[in-house]
Amino acid sequence: MPDFLLAMALVLLLTMSAGLARVVIGPTPADRMMAAQLLGTSGIAVLLLLALSLDVPALLDVALIFALLAAVAVAAFTRRRAGRDQA
Amino acid sequence: MSQLTLLIVFDAVLLVTLLVLAFAAVLSPEPRRAVMLFIAFGLWLSLIWARLQAPDVALAEAAIGAGLGGALMLAAARRAARTASRSRGDDAS
Amino acid sequence: MSTEAILHALAAVCIVLGTTFFLAGTIGLLRLPDLFSRLHALTKADNLGLGLVMLGLILYDPNPFYAVKLLILWVLVMVSGATGAHLIAKRALRGDGEDAP
């Protein structure tokens, strides 16, 4: 069963690598931010699977930090400039 | 597939993608795009630390390297773009 | 067939389903034509996919503290994902999403 979890983590990792293409080519910054968000969520899933298959329970805390990081990055990205776009 | 084979494939995917991300971030001409790629790079590096069974380093990398550093660099890139457009003579305000 | 074997089989089914949702979300992100449909595909995929993977992991290792921790993590991801999608969509609607500053 740990082998199965590791195989699923590998599939998720390949999915993340494919999603990275959107970060590189994405036409607008909003596309890149969305791709980074998907990257963070898939990263959480990979970390949860690795925590069980490698038997390192502390990786759950890293997954919590990933969730916080996504919120901070999106908030920093969508913050409005003081002068120009108040409305 | 045995566990060793799976782990080797896992590490190979992690390493190749990390290198691609690093080159894309360094060679990117536009600051905001470079910062996005840097955030993705930090996430990926944190996964590598997790794979190396170093959860504490992965925690620090995710929180400081990608999270706070990425947010600060996004603000700096935006400020740089505004200064550049103002010095070009556009009406920025 | 023992209870543990049944739980493990259920866990495997849930994890495979969750991975399928992640795969569908990534394909949608890569293939859909405009920003809002991509946002739609993304938010469906990551909440449900992560939820199914977590359900599978809870079934695989039925420990109450572990389950509560995963549940808190899932709620956090859903709240931050919904807020982030809303912010990105609002900013894109106001036409402030282009590369030129």
Side-chain angles (χ1 to χ4, degrees):
Chain A
M1 192 73 181
D3 284 2
F4 170 74
L5 294 183
L6 201 59
M8 281 298 120
L10 182 58
V11 172
L12 275 178
L13 202 69
L14 289 173
T15 313
M16 284 170 78
S17 316
L20 276 177
R22 190 47 88 180
V23 182
V24 178
I25 65 170
T28 65
D31 281 312
R32 297 203 176 98
M33 205 63 235
M34 266 157 43
Q37 210 179 353
L38 179 66
L39 206 69
T41 319
S42 322
I44 292 173
V46 170
L47 280 174
L48 292 179
L49 290 169
L50 278 185
L52 270 188
S53 68
L54 297 180
D55 204 13
V56 188
L59 289 184
L60 283 180
D61 301 335
V62 185
L64 269 172
I65 293 291
F66 265 48
L68 276 178
L69 183 155
V72 168
V74 171
F77 170 71
T78 53
R79 214 183 46 151
R80 316 198 70 79
R81 267 174 285 175
R84 181 154 139 186
D85 27 46
Q86 288 284 350
Chain B
M1 229 190 305
S2 73
Q3 189 172 15
L4 192 62
T5 328
L6 276 176
L7 278 179
I8 289 174
V9 176
F10 200 85
D11 293 354
V13 172
L14 277 174
L15 276 180
V16 170
T17 317
L18 186 79
L19 277 177
V20 170
L21 263 179
F23 273 110
V26 168
L27 298 178
S28 157
E30 209 258 332
R32 281 172 96 186
R33 185 176 158 196
V35 175
M36 298 296 181
L37 285 167
F38 179 79
I39 292 178
F41 175 81
L43 280 172
W44 210 267
L45 188 56
S46 172
L47 274 184
I48 289 190
W49 286 122
R51 160 70 188 91
L52 291 175
Q53 310 207 351
D56 40 0
V57 192
L59 212 93
E61 172 63 36
I64 301 168
L68 290 179
L72 286 176
M73 276 191 238
L74 269 178
R78 187 164 39 217
R79 186 158 300 183
R82 187 171 32 173
T83 318
S85 76
R86 189 172 288 163
S87 69
R88 267 206 313 269
D90 298 349
D91 187 15
S93 60
Chain C
M1 206 169 172
S2 66
T3 317
E4 195 181 0
I6 295 175
L7 275 184
H8 280 191
L10 276 178
V13 169
C14 281
I15 292 174
V16 168
L17 269 179
T19 313
T20 316
F21 268 99
F22 274 114
L23 197 63
T26 307
I27 291 174
L29 186 71
L30 288 177
R31 295 293 300 166
L32 284 178
D34 76 335
L35 195 145
F36 296 106
S37 45
R38 286 199 282 260
L39 194 61
H40 158 82
L42 175 73
T43 46
K44 298 291 173 299
D46 63 358
N47 290 335
L48 203 50
L50 192 64
L52 279 170
V53 168
M54 281 179 179
L55 184 63
L57 288 180
I58 291 173
L59 287 176
Y60 177 68
D61 184 10
N63 175 4
F65 291 107
Y66 182 65
V68 167
K69 200 166 181 180
L70 285 194
L71 207 64
I72 290 173
L73 182 53
W74 189 41
V75 170
L76 182 60
V77 167
M78 278 211 295
V79 168
S80 86
T83 316
H86 189 89
L87 285 174
I88 289 176
K90 205 161 82 177
R91 187 174 171 126
L93 267 182
R94 291 192 175 146
D96 199 16
E98 297 305 314
D99 265 339

